[in-house]
Amino acid sequence: MSAQSGIPVKTADKLNSALPIDITAAQVQQYPELVKLLTELSQRITPEGISVQVKQELEQAEEELRHEKHSWLLQHTLYKEIEEFLIDSELRSQDVALSPDDKQFHTMLQECLTFSEIGDYLRCSPDPSCKVNLLGLTEESIHNQNPHRKNLAYLQQKLIPQIEERLADKCENLQNFQDVDNALDSSPTLAKSSQLPALMEAQKRKLEEDRQQLERLRMAKEKQFQTYYQTLLDSLHLLEELITKYRLQNQMEHDTVSAEWLVGKCDGLCLKIKLIELQILSDTYTHETAKALQQIKDTLHGAKVEAEKSKTYVTKTLQTYESLGSEFDDLVIEYQTLKEEMDNKEWALSELQKSAS
């Protein structure tokens, strides 16, 4: 492949990686104006399909959200740790009696925590800019109602070391759980636990890189699939052309020759049948046979003429009889009766003559 023919491929790869599209090298060559438009869009749109300005604003908002989440998580962690500290102290007091100072310390800590929790419920409106508080109370007024506000320094001085110790134990346990491969390492666990945030960030970055790599592999796989699919279509098109041009064309010529041969064969059979028919007629109707048939024809013609004459005579006679009306019917009946009587008498006479002889 020449350098000039590779330019559309590089341009297509660049646009596909810069924009959420799938353009081919053939389309790059076919639509140069579209390529120009996509190139300008790639300078203003991220691969995710959003504008660069919106992406910057989104990153800034995410950074502010990350900072707020970090502050909230610090406070939430301290709050939960103090709650667990009080619960553990309550459970321990059921087995071992606490000293008066410890009881007083726990009571003061519990009440201070309660007053601190009340401040979280003062803002009853979901709007952060709203200045209306529950029952008109403020955090300052709640703080002034705390009877132990003058002893906060004492509480912090005694509570902070214990909280730090508890958090250090949890960090060590978390480090041991996270770093199983280096369990035999003799370096201090607490010192290694300070590296947990960086380790977790590194793992998150590794996961993000793996996700991006998988996304690139997916896009490459889809692109490869499209290439294979287009190659398959081209191959099928070429195969269809080859079949049409060579196989089907030769088949058409073969079918044409076969059809012409069959037509000629049918014509020959028809002529042969006609010849056989003429041969049969020639053998059947000889000179003597034709002469006899002619005599038969003349005889039948004469009989037909006589029959037609007789028919005509009978028809006229019937018409004459019909013209006489009903009286003729009576005469016919009377004639028939007389004829029957005469026949009977002749028979009787003949019988008498036979008897006399």
Side-chain angles (χ1 to χ4, degrees), residues 64-78:
E64 294 176 358
L65 178 62
R66 191 180 300 109
H67 177 72
E68 294 295 332
K69 284 179 64 176
H70 179 72
S71 301
W72 182 85
L73 286 173
L74 287 177
Q75 297 178 5
H76 183 71
T77 302
L78 290 176

Side-chain angles (χ1 to χ4, degrees), residues 276-287:
I276 293 173
E277 181 183 2
L278 294 175
Q279 185 67 37
I280 292 172
L281 293 175
S282 177
D283 294 340
T284 302
Y285 300 103
T286 60
H287 180 72

Side-chain angles (χ1 to χ4, degrees), residues 57 103 110 112 143 255 264 276 282 316 357:
E57 294 176 356
K103 289 182 178 180
Q110 182 64 54
C112 289
H143 178 71
D255 293 341
I276 293 173
S282 177
K316 290 181 179 181
S357 61

Side-chain angles (χ1 to χ4, degrees), residues 118 121-125 131-138 142:
I118 293 174
Y121 298 97
L122 294 180
R123 298 183 180 87
C124 56
S125 176
K131 302 298 182 181
V132 179
N133 293 338
L134 183 64
L135 302 178
L137 298 175
T138 61
I142 297 298

